[in-house]
Amino acid sequence: MSLTKKIMIALLLGVIAGIGLTFAPQPIFTGLDNYLLGPIGQIFINLIMMLVVPLVFVSITLGTAGLGEPAKLGKMGIYTVVFFLITTAVAICIGFGVGYLLEPGKAGVFNTEAAEYEAQTAPPVMETLINIIPDNPIASMASGDMLQIIAFAIFIGIALAFLGEKTIGIYRLFEQANEILNWLVNLVMKTAPYGAFALIASAIGNAGLDALGSMAMYMVAVILGLIVHGALTYSLAIWGLGKTNPLKFYKAFFPAMSVAFSTSSSTATLPISMKTAQENLGVKKEISSFVQPLGATINMDGTAIMQAVATVFLSQVYANPLDFTDLLLVVLTATLASVGTAGVPGVGMIMLAMVLGQVGIPVEGIALVIGVDRLLDMLRTSLNITGDAAIAYIISENDEIKELKAEQS
Ligand code: ASP
């Protein structure tokens, strides 16, 4: 059986088991969750997380060295960031659209009196930008600071490209390290069905179904926004700019989407999403290894959609209408907020606090949405990594077309 099929079955069984577990007596669920599902899920996440930092470092270094001229990297960097910003802004507008269409904040009775939430602050954007250059690369790797690791790897890659023959030994070492890491990613991927099953059953069992109630409409709005962005924005981009049938793209990328769904972390999914993009979609290695790690950190369209819907939802709950300037402010803050925050579970809520603060909606409102956030986090993380892969794919396809043209002329 193919891995995709196995993962699909695991997802389905995980959902069924999770729903079944919501009916099980509490001690049975707690026992199963603490001693079976939780540990299996955590081991799976650790297995992939173990590969993230070395893989990003090695593959970006090799990618940069392979590109040869730094100018090409600069051009790709600009395309990537522009694509990221445009898709995120579109995502936020879609979030507004569904929020105003479905009016989830008017659909139920919400108790805002008891709402309590202690907001954590996201790092200021300026600080994030300055800190992209690490003062201590070893510390960046130890703490998994993706932007800093990317920057350091680019420097080493450029040096390798310039030094050529002189540093061929180190270049080969990186190539061999890359082989080892890819072999390990393959190995870890084989365990994905089991990890996904455990993570999903545990997440659904823990979330329970009673949290839904009056929040159902909010969830529907977020999910609808995610579907519209995936089915329209990405599909149109893949079709129009990547000259490919979007269904083919989604089918090929599905294994990575399902791992993102079960781990709720773009960063943890990185080794698998890079591998899937390179092997199943044929994205060039040097492009995938640059665009996808960057995207996992700064491009989160699914998260942006949730923030837009949540902001509209809470503005309705608190009867605090947003004017056009507020909406623009949300687009700006939500886009910038996503730049400095890493792709890990639940980070969207930290950013939401920042967005709400900007438009004067009580931050405690987050208490209402956080109850159902676990499940939405799974879905939006799948979309987050799909956006990164779609952009990597489009850039890679166009690069290939350009190369072919150059060869012909
Ligand atoms: N979990 C998301 C990610 O890793 C971020 C979020 O929306 O909380 O992409």
Side-chain angles (χ1 to χ4, degrees):
M1 206 191 286
S2 74
L3 186 66
T4 309
K5 245 192 211 150
K6 275 191 197 163
I7 295 180
M8 269 172 122
I9 294 174
L11 285 184
L12 200 70
L13 291 178
V15 171
I16 295 172
I19 295 177
L21 282 172
T22 58
F23 297 106
Q26 193 58 34
I28 295 192
F29 172 68
T30 314
L32 270 177
D33 195 34
N34 287 351
Y35 296 103
L36 192 70
L37 299 174
I40 293 179
Q42 196 55 48
I43 289 174
F44 173 61
I45 292 190
N46 289 355
L47 276 174
I48 16 183
M49 278 306 274
M50 163 179 95
L51 303 173
V52 172
V53 171
L55 188 73
V56 169
F57 180 57
V58 168
S59 60
I60 292 191
T61 304
L62 275 179
T64 311
L67 277 175
E69 4 151 17
K72 200 166 171 194
L73 185 74
K75 224 167 154 191
M76 182 160 78
I78 292 173
Y79 280 144
T80 307
V81 173
V82 169
F83 267 132
F84 282 168
L85 293 179
I86 294 176
T87 52
T88 305
V90 171
I92 296 171
C93 295
I94 290 175
F96 287 149
V98 283
Y100 283 112
L101 192 75
L102 300 181
E103 301 199 313
K106 293 193 177 152
V109 185
F110 302 98
N111 179 7
T112 52
E113 300 280 298
E116 263 179 50
Y117 180 78
E118 203 163 316
Q120 286 168 274
T121 42
V125 179
M126 207 51 214
E127 197 181 302
T128 311
L129 292 181
I130 294 171
N131 285 341
I132 286 181
I133 310 286
D135 59 358
N136 180 348
I138 306 292
S140 323
M141 290 188 201
S143 62
D145 189 319
M146 216 45 77
L147 290 181
Q148 295 188 341
I149 298 173
I150 292 174
F152 185 59
I154 289 176
F155 278 118
I156 302 281
I158 292 176
L160 283 178
F162 272 108
L163 293 169
E165 273 307 307
K166 254 194 208 163
T167 47
I168 196 74
I170 301 269
Y171 184 80
R172 296 260 177 275
L173 180 79
F174 272 83
E175 273 185 335
Q176 289 173 2
N178 204 32
E179 289 287 329
I180 296 177
L181 290 165
N182 278 326
W183 190 86
L184 287 173
V185 175
N186 257 339
L187 189 74
V188 173
M189 261 192 101
K190 294 208 172 85
T191 66
Y194 310 99
F197 169 82
L199 287 168
I200 285 163
S202 165
I204 295 184
N206 271 307
L209 298 176
D210 7 312
L212 303 183
S214 57
M215 294 303 287
M217 206 54 184
Y218 163 76
M219 292 184 77
V220 170
V222 175
I223 295 170
L224 187 66
L226 298 176
I227 294 174
V228 170
H229 195 53
L232 277 184
T233 318
Y234 293 159
S235 294
L236 281 177
I238 290 162
W239 176 69
L241 302 172
K243 313 271 178 276
T244 305
N245 179 350
L247 283 179
K248 233 168 99 185
F249 172 91
Y250 277 106
K251 200 170 156 219
F253 196 61
F254 176 80
M257 291 172 76
S258 61
V259 171
F261 179 75
S262 48
T263 59
S264 289
S265 167
S266 307
T267 308
T269 314
L270 204 44
I272 290 175
S273 50
M274 283 164 67
K275 186 161 198 71
T276 314
Q278 290 168 14
E279 285 180 6
N280 294 7
L281 288 167
V283 176
K284 288 183 176 177
K285 268 203 173 124
E286 65 272 21
I287 293 178
S288 146
S289 27
F290 177 73
V291 176
Q292 289 180 283
L294 194 63
T297 320
I298 71 171
N299 185 45
M300 298 182 193
D301 292 355
T303 306
I305 289 173
M306 174 281 288
Q307 285 169 353
V309 177
T311 310
V312 173
F313 165 76
L314 291 172
S315 82
Q316 289 160 354
V317 169
Y318 284 100
N320 182 350
L322 303 169
D323 59 22
F324 188 67
T325 326
D326 289 334
L327 295 183
L328 273 184
L329 211 58
V330 173
V331 176
L332 203 72
T333 337
T335 310
L336 290 183
S338 71
V339 173
T341 27
V344 292
V347 79
M349 286 293 128
I350 300 177
M351 296 192 249
L352 180 60
M354 218 168 121
V355 174
L356 294 178
Q358 285 291 322
V359 290
I361 295 174
V363 173
E364 298 81 66
I366 290 183
L368 292 178
V369 289
I370 212 164
V372 291
D373 197 58
R374 182 71 185 88
L375 295 180
L376 294 177
D377 197 0
M378 298 162 83
L379 289 165
R380 66 176 181 253
T381 308
S382 294
L383 193 79
N384 286 348
I385 64 149
T386 307
D388 309 334
I391 290 167
Y393 180 73
I394 290 169
I395 294 181
S396 174
E397 285 298 291
N398 283 293
D399 201 52
E400 219 150 85
I401 294 172
K402 224 171 34 208
E403 268 174 16
L404 274 179
K405 274 192 189 148
E407 258 169 42
Q408 279 162 5
S409 59

